[in-house]
Amino acid sequence: MVTALRSLLFMLIFYGGSLSFVLTAMLFGWVAPTAVQRIATAWSRFHRGCARWLLGQKVVVEGELPRGPYLYIVKHESMFETIDMLCLFDRPAIGAKRELFDIPLWGGIARRYGLIPIERTAGASALRALRAAAKEATAEGRAICLFPEGTRVPHGECPPLKAGFAGLYSLLRLPVVPIAIDSGRVSPRGRFLKRAGIITYKVGEMIPPGLDRKDAETRVHAAINALNP
């Protein structure tokens, strides 16, 4: 009963409050595009606050998050981490499915924020565009974050990485920081009920650039699944 009440309050307050952030971003995005990044960061902090005080979900980071021109590869179990990346990093450039940019209103804000569109069937031109967007982000000192599984997966499942990781790893030649997360334990995909508990980020060992594809994928896959049973 308590879990259901908390989940209902979260839905009403977070989604209701999110509308004001969207409208503000739309308003300021036309006259001051850089303001969208600040508004998005405030929205992410609002989300974490709602998760903490309405759902009883506390965030813990195990290990040190290095700051610099790195490619951060993150496990994807729930909506939580897609929004929370803006709390972990300063204005991160997050890889997002290309289809999301076609959503009315949201797509325009995503472009102004500087999300990186990911083509599911990336040809040579798409990879060049991806590389250019990522290079621009690193030049601005922004972290690049990628969810290599392509979609949210239930806690405990370890699907293979999508091809996009290997392509970006090869193109950017940046050190990789893998990050595991267990958000699916308390906020399962597609479930209304969200439970109280601790959401853990576990920072894995840095993976150097220049490894062959199989070696890099094996290391990343093991690291991002470090919190799976």
Side-chain angles (χ1 to χ4, degrees):
M1 182 64 180
V2 173
T3 298
L5 180 58
R6 280 183 157 186
S7 299
L8 178 60
L9 285 174
F10 175 82
M11 183 183 72
L12 294 174
I13 294 175
F14 172 66
Y15 287 103
S18 293
L19 179 60
S20 65
F21 284 98
V22 170
L23 295 175
T24 302
M26 288 176 58
L27 176 63
F28 285 94
W30 293 107
V31 294
T34 56
V36 173
Q37 294 178 350
R38 293 193 294 271
I39 294 167
T41 299
W43 175 59
S44 178
R45 291 171 178 165
F46 171 66
H47 170 258
R48 185 182 279 199
C50 288
R52 176 68 182 93
W53 301 111
L54 298 176
L55 296 175
Q57 296 176 348
K58 182 181 178 181
V59 174
V60 171
V61 179
E62 294 183 358
E64 294 294 326
L65 271 175
R67 308 293 176 178
Y70 301 119
L71 175 58
Y72 298 88
I73 301 298
V74 188
K75 180 72 178 177
H76 195 11
E77 293 191 350
S78 79
M79 182 187 74
F80 180 89
E81 57 268 13
T82 59
I83 302 174
D84 200 62
M85 288 295 101
L86 280 72
C87 284
L88 285 185
F89 304 104
D90 178 26
R91 302 172 297 117
I94 304 170
K97 292 182 292 186
R98 178 63 182 80
E99 307 91 274
L100 297 178
F101 289 76
D102 296 328
I103 298 175
L105 304 181
W106 193 93
I109 294 172
R111 290 187 179 88
R112 290 184 181 87
Y113 171 81
L115 292 184
I116 299 177
I118 304 292
E119 295 279 0
R120 288 187 171 182
T121 56
S125 61
L127 285 174
R128 285 194 296 270
L130 177 61
R131 181 183 185 184
K135 287 286 188 181
E136 182 180 349
T138 56
E140 295 173 355
R142 301 171 65 196
I144 300 176
C145 301
L146 186 69
F147 300 106
E149 293 155 319
T151 189
R152 293 169 291 174
V153 297
H155 182 67
E157 292 189 9
C158 308
L161 308 182
K162 297 293 185 181
F165 161 70
L168 198 56
Y169 172 75
S170 176
L171 285 170
L172 295 180
R173 298 188 179 278
L174 291 174
V176 172
V177 179
I179 303 175
I181 186 173
D182 59 357
S183 57
R185 291 188 310 102
V186 294
S187 292
R189 174 184 179 178
R191 301 280 185 88
F192 166 73
L193 294 179
K194 303 179 188 300
R195 301 189 301 273
I198 295 175
I199 294 176
T200 301
Y201 289 105
K202 184 177 179 64
V203 184
E205 183 179 348
M206 189 180 299
I207 299 169
L211 301 179
D212 66 73
R213 174 174 178 166
K214 184 176 181 180
D215 190 9
E217 288 185 337
T218 298
R219 294 193 192 191
V220 167
H221 190 268
I224 66 172
N225 288 292
L227 294 174
N228 281 313

